[in-house]
C-alpha cells in the first residue's frame, strides 16, 4: 500500500483488504467491479447510481477513506462477492431503530389441520375439549395445552377442523430476527402439531399450514420507518432469500435488506391497510397480519383480531380439505349439516356487516378476508358440495 493509500489528510487509513482481495480474486479492475455491481443491482430491481459514482465509492471503501454503511452498497458487495456482511465488514450494527431499542411484539400462530368430524366428536365426548365461546358465530370446543414455549390452545370445530393458537411474547432488535425465527419455527410447529394430533386421536393426522398475526405493542421506529416496518412485519419473508435456511448468513442478508426497505419504503400492492390515522396501523396480506394500536383505548382489542383469524383459518382449512379431495379425484364426504348450505350461511355471516360492528372492526375483517382468499375458496367449495349432493 502506497503512502497516499495509507494516509489521507494526515489521517491514518485502514484499507478493507477483504474487499480488495475478493475483487482481485475475480480478476476485476475497479472499473469492472463497478460495472458488475451496477449489473447486479439493476437485475435485482434496485435503484443504483451511475458506474462512475459506484467506482468512486468502491475506491473509497477499499482504501478506507470511507466506511461502508450504505445498505445498498453492502448488499451489492455481498451479492457480487458471494459473502456475508460479517465476512466483508466485520461486525455490522443492528437495524436502525429509535434509540437502538428492541421492539416488543406478541406473535399469534394459527396451525391448521383437518382431522374429520368423527374425531372432533370423539374428543368432545371424551371431555378432552370443552365447549368454548363461539367464534364469529361458529360453535367450537377448546383445551389449553401445557408447553414450554408460549401459550397454546387447541380449538376444534364440529365440521372436522383442529386449530392450534400459539401465543409467544418476543423482544427483538430488528425484523430480520423475526423473519428468521418465523421460518425456523414454522417447520417445528407443523411437526409438533401433527405429532400431537396423531397421539391425541390415535390415528395419523397432519397439520397443513401455519399463519401468523403480530400485535406490535412496543414499536421502536420513528417517522416514515414506522409504516415501512409494519409492512415488512406483515410479510417478513421478503427479507429472506427463497428456500434459504435460517442461519447466521441468512440473518446478515436479511438485516441488509431490512435496512434498504426501511430507508426506501416498502409498499406491495397486494397488502391491504386497515388502520385509522392517529389510532392504529394495521396491514393484512396473504402472508399474515400485523397491528399496532397507537391509541390503545380507541383501537381494536387484541381478542378481536384473534377471533377473526380463528374463524377465518377454521373455514380456510375446511374448504382446503374439500377442494383437495376434488383435486385427488374423489367426491368429498362431509356431514350433511355442514354441506353447501352451511358454507353459504357462514360466507354470508363473515362478509356482511353486523349492526353493532364498528368501522374499525369492519375494515379489519374485510382486509383479512380479502387477502386470505377465503371467500373465493368458500365459493368453490360450495359449488363442489352442491354438485356432488345433486348426483
Amino acid at each position: 500500500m502506497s503512502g497516499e493509500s495509507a494516509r489521507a489528510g494526515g489521517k491514518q487509513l485502514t484499507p478493507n483488504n477483504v474487499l480488495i482481495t475478493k475483487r482481485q480474486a475475480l480478476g476485476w479492475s475497479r472499473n469492472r467491479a463497478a460495472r458488475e455491481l451496477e449489473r447486479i443491482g439493476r437485475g435485482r430491481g434496485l435503484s443504483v447510481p451511475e458506474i462512475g459514482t459506484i467506482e468512486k465509492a468502491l475506491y473509497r471503501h477499499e482504501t478506507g477513506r470511507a466506511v461502508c454503511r450504505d445498505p445498498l452498497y453492502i448488499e451489492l458487495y455481498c451479492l457480487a462477492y458471494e459473502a456475508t456482511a460479517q465476512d466483508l465488514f466485520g461486525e455490522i450494527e443492528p437495524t436502525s431503530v429509535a434509540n437502538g431499542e428492541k421492539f416488543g411484539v406478541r406473535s399469534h400462530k394459527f396451525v391448521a389441520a383437518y382431522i374429520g368430524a368423527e374425531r372432533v366428536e370423539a374428543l368432545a365426548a371424551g371431555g378432552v375439549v370443552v365447549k368454548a365461546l363461539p367464534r364469529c358465530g361458529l360453535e367450537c370446543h377448546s383445551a389449553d395445552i401445557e408447553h414450554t414455549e408460549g401459550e397454546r390452545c387447541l380449538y376444534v370445530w364440529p365440521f372436522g377442523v383442529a386449530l392450534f393458537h400459539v401465543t409467544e411474547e418476543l423482544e427483538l432488535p430488528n425484523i430480520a430476527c423475526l423473519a428468521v425465527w418465523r421460518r425456523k419455527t414454522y417447520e417445528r410447529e407443523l411437526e409438533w402439531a401433527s405429532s400431537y394430533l396423531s397421539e391425541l386421536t390415535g390415528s395419523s393426522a397432519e397439520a397443513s399450514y401455519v399463519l401468523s398475526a403480530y400485535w406490535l405493542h412496543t414499536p421502536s421506529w420513528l417517522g416514515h420507518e414506522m409504516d415501512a416496518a409494519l409492512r415488512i412485519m406483515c410479510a417478513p419473508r421478503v427479507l429472506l432469500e427463497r428456500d434459504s435456511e435460517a442461519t447466521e448468513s441468512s440473518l446478515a442478508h436479511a438485516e441488509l435488506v431490512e435496512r434498504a426497505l426501511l430507508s426506501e419504503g416498502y409498499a406491495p400492492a397486494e397488502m391491504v391497510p386497515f388502520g385509522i390515522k392517529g389510532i392504529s396501523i394495521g396491514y393484512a396480506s396473504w402472508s399474515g397480519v400485523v397491528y399496532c394500536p397507537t391509541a390503545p383505548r380507541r383501537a381494536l382489542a387484541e381478542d378481536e383480531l384473534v377471533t377473526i383469524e380463528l374463524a377465518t383459518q377454521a373455514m380456510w382449512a375446511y374448504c382446503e380439505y374439500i377442494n383437495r379431495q376434488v383435486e385427488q379425484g374423489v367426491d368429498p364426504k362431509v356431514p350433511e349439516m355442514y354441506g353447501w348450505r352451511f358454507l353459504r350461511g357462514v360466507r354470508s355471516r363473515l362478509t356482511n356487516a353486523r349492526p353493532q360492528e364498528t368501522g374499525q372492526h369492519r375494515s379489519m375483517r374485510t382486509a383479512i378476508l380479502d387477502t386470505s382468499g377465503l371467500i373465493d375458496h368458500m365459493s368453490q367449495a360450495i359449488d363442489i358440495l352442491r354438485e356432488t349432493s345433486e348426483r
Side-chain angles (χ1 to χ4, degrees):
M1 182 69 64
S2 67
E4 181 183 3
S5 300
R7 269 178 201 282
K11 181 181 178 181
Q12 186 70 35
L13 302 178
T14 303
N16 188 323
N17 291 317
V18 177
L19 282 180
I20 296 171
T21 301
K22 289 283 188 182
R23 173 174 59 79
Q24 292 177 343
L26 293 170
W28 293 350
S29 64
R30 285 201 182 105
N31 180 265
R32 168 69 186 280
R35 286 187 280 115
E36 290 295 329
L37 292 180
E38 184 204 35
R39 180 185 63 79
I40 292 171
R42 295 195 184 284
R44 289 277 177 138
L46 302 175
S47 178
V48 295
E50 296 180 351
I51 291 178
T53 302
I54 297 176
E55 185 174 358
K56 182 178 179 180
L58 196 152
Y59 168 72
R60 290 172 61 79
H61 295 154
E62 286 188 353
T63 60
R65 281 167 169 74
V67 178
C68 184
R69 301 186 187 279
D70 190 323
L72 173 64
Y73 281 105
I74 293 174
E75 180 173 5
L76 292 177
Y77 285 136
C78 290
L79 292 170
Y81 298 145
E82 297 183 351
T84 67
Q86 287 94 334
D87 293 336
L88 300 176
F89 307 105
E91 291 297 323
I92 60 174
E93 299 175 0
T95 300
S96 173
V97 295
N99 302 318
E101 297 176 357
K102 295 182 178 180
F103 68 91
V105 63
R106 248 184 314 279
S107 165
H108 294 274
K109 290 196 188 90
F110 302 92
V111 191
Y114 183 82
I115 61 174
E118 300 84 359
R119 295 187 200 177
V120 170
E121 185 178 359
L123 292 176
V128 178
V129 291
V130 298
K131 196 162 188 177
L133 292 174
R135 301 289 172 164
C136 296
L138 295 173
E139 298 290 337
C140 63
H141 287 68
S142 68
D144 292 328
I145 300 169
E146 291 186 6
H147 197 279
T148 56
E149 297 180 12
E151 299 177 10
R152 293 171 185 245
C153 184
L154 169 63
Y155 291 88
V156 295
W157 278 264
F159 42 84
V161 169
L163 194 68
F164 292 97
H165 175 210
V166 183
T167 308
E168 295 163 284
E169 191 69 47
L170 304 174
E171 188 178 57
L172 300 168
N174 53 42
I175 308 171
C177 289
L178 177 68
V180 172
W181 172 83
R182 177 179 179 267
R183 173 166 290 183
K184 187 183 298 184
T185 59
Y186 267 28
E187 183 176 351
R188 190 168 67 221
E189 292 292 359
L190 287 170
E191 292 178 356
W192 174 85
S194 299
S195 175
Y196 187 93
L197 287 173
S198 296
E199 184 176 349
L200 190 67
T201 61
S203 55
S204 179
E206 184 176 357
S208 55
Y209 68 90
V210 185
L211 183 126
S212 288
Y214 299 113
W215 187 271
L216 180 63
H217 54 77
T218 311
S220 298
W221 299 272
L222 299 173
H224 75 278
E225 286 193 346
M226 178 67 168
D227 189 71
L230 265 81
R231 290 176 182 266
I232 298 169
M233 288 180 66
C234 188
R237 184 180 295 180
V238 70
L239 301 181
L240 303 174
E241 294 180 308
R242 187 174 62 254
D243 301 327
S244 66
E245 296 183 1
T247 63
E248 289 186 9
S249 176
S250 63
L251 174 59
H253 178 268
E255 289 175 330
L256 295 178
V257 178
E258 178 182 352
R259 293 180 189 181
L261 293 180
L262 286 175
S263 175
E264 299 172 4
Y266 178 63
E270 66 275 10
M271 197 169 287
V272 178
F274 62 88
I276 296 180
K277 188 174 182 180
I279 296 178
S280 62
I281 305 173
Y283 289 100
S285 73
W286 172 258
S287 298
V289 179
V290 63
Y291 188 78
C292 178
T294 54
R297 292 188 178 183
R298 293 187 290 153
L300 292 168
E302 193 167 356
D303 186 62
E304 292 181 274
L305 174 61
V306 170
T307 294
I308 287 292
E309 280 296 359
L310 284 171
T312 298
Q313 300 313 317
M315 294 312 307
W316 213 99
Y318 185 43
C319 294
E320 180 196 31
Y321 160 75
I322 295 170
N323 294 328
R324 190 172 63 244
Q325 293 299 296
V326 173
E327 292 170 3
Q328 295 174 355
V330 179
D331 284 345
K333 294 182 179 180
V334 300
E336 184 177 352
M337 65 184 302
Y338 299 113
W340 67 268
R341 290 183 177 85
F342 164 76
L343 284 179
R344 184 179 62 182
V346 175
R347 183 179 62 184
S348 175
R349 193 179 306 131
L350 288 176
T351 55
N352 292 329
R354 303 291 100 184
Q356 299 298 320
E357 187 177 35
T358 66
Q360 290 188 71
H361 192 278
R362 180 178 182 178
S363 180
M364 173 191 65
R365 176 175 51 78
T366 301
I368 289 175
L369 291 176
D370 286 350
T371 55
S372 70
L374 175 61
I375 302 307
D376 289 341
H377 210 32
M378 292 183 74
S379 297
Q380 185 177 358
I382 290 170
D383 290 342
I384 291 169
L385 293 181
R386 176 182 282 174
E387 179 185 341
T388 54
S389 68
E390 292 175 352
R391 290 176 182 173

